[in-house]
Amino acid sequence: MAFFGITFAVTWAAWFSAPLVDAPGAGGHSAAWTLLIYVGTFAPGITAVAMSAAEGRDVLRDLLRRLVKADAAPRLYLFAVMYLFALKLLNAAIQRAAFGEWPVIATQPFPLLLVATFFSTVIGGQAGEELGWRGFALPRLASRMGYAWAGVLVGVAWALWHLPLFLIPGADKTGQSFPVWALGVVALSVAMTWLW
């Protein structure tokens, strides 16, 4: 599928170029480093918009409507929040059992984390990633292989797409266990597919 090839090419080129711009330091990263990280983050959404626009105005309109669709039952939202919490807890326990240490949760103040979580979920997550993974790729794959396999395949692609963030010095996932994290992402993708 062209979506995956374009998304991976743009994201990985941007993310692997970031360390060439500057190395992490006490003062943070340069604007160029940050821009490259954001280009990679938004690549799934940008690719989905471009490919949908190429298919026609109605296809693009349907894709963009998914950004604001919120007609699910409250119990599904509750399930989503609790599932995510349970998944994060399970991932932490696996990392503790495998490596003898708990993952670093956060070093920033809690109110800042709440604000950052909101903006990263709504802006980076919805418009950057989810528009591509679940808004564009999932329905197309599901029409070919059903939702169960499509959810797993999107989860595997989604996990692999993040791989450079485990290898780039100064990225938010540097030093974490990719296999443990990837299992959680695939499980999250399956649950998100079921909710979707």
Side-chain angles (χ1 to χ4, degrees):
M1 184 178 223
F3 168 80
F4 293 108
I6 294 168
T7 297
F8 272 74
V10 171
T11 297
W12 285 22
W15 286 351
F16 281 123
S17 296
L20 303 176
V21 173
D22 69 358
H29 294 287
S30 68
W33 190 94
T34 303
L35 178 64
L36 286 167
I37 295 300
Y38 278 117
V39 166
T41 300
F42 281 85
I46 293 167
T47 303
V49 167
M51 292 182 75
S52 295
E55 291 180 31
R57 204 174 260 175
D58 290 339
V59 175
L60 178 60
R61 190 177 307 117
D62 288 342
L63 175 72
L64 295 177
R65 280 188 188 141
R66 293 182 185 144
L67 286 173
V68 294
K69 184 179 178 185
D71 59 353
R75 64 183 166 73
L76 293 177
Y77 287 104
L78 179 62
F79 172 82
V81 169
M82 297 308 294
Y83 182 83
L84 186 58
F85 177 75
L87 195 60
K88 293 287 185 183
L89 191 59
L90 177 63
N91 276 345
I94 291 171
Q95 182 169 334
R96 171 73 177 172
F99 302 105
E101 61 185 32
W102 292 102
V104 175
I105 302 299
T107 56
Q108 294 81 17
F110 186 70
L112 180 62
L113 287 174
L114 286 177
V115 171
T117 299
F118 173 77
F119 281 104
S120 70
T121 300
V122 173
I123 310 270
Q126 285 298 96
E129 292 188 40
E130 292 310 310
L131 189 62
W133 301 125
R134 256 132 310 260
F136 184 85
L138 180 65
R140 283 163 174 76
L141 287 173
S143 69
R144 295 179 193 170
M145 61 181 65
Y147 282 104
W149 285 111
V152 171
L153 184 59
V154 168
V156 169
W158 189 29
L160 288 173
W161 175 78
H162 283 89
L163 182 61
L165 297 178
F166 290 80
L167 307 172
I168 298 170
D172 66 343
K173 298 188 181 359
T174 304
Q176 294 182 31
S177 169
F178 177 75
V180 170
W181 183 86
L183 285 172
V185 167
V186 173
L188 180 60
S189 178
V190 170
M192 290 171 79
T193 299
W194 177 76
L195 288 170
W196 187 84

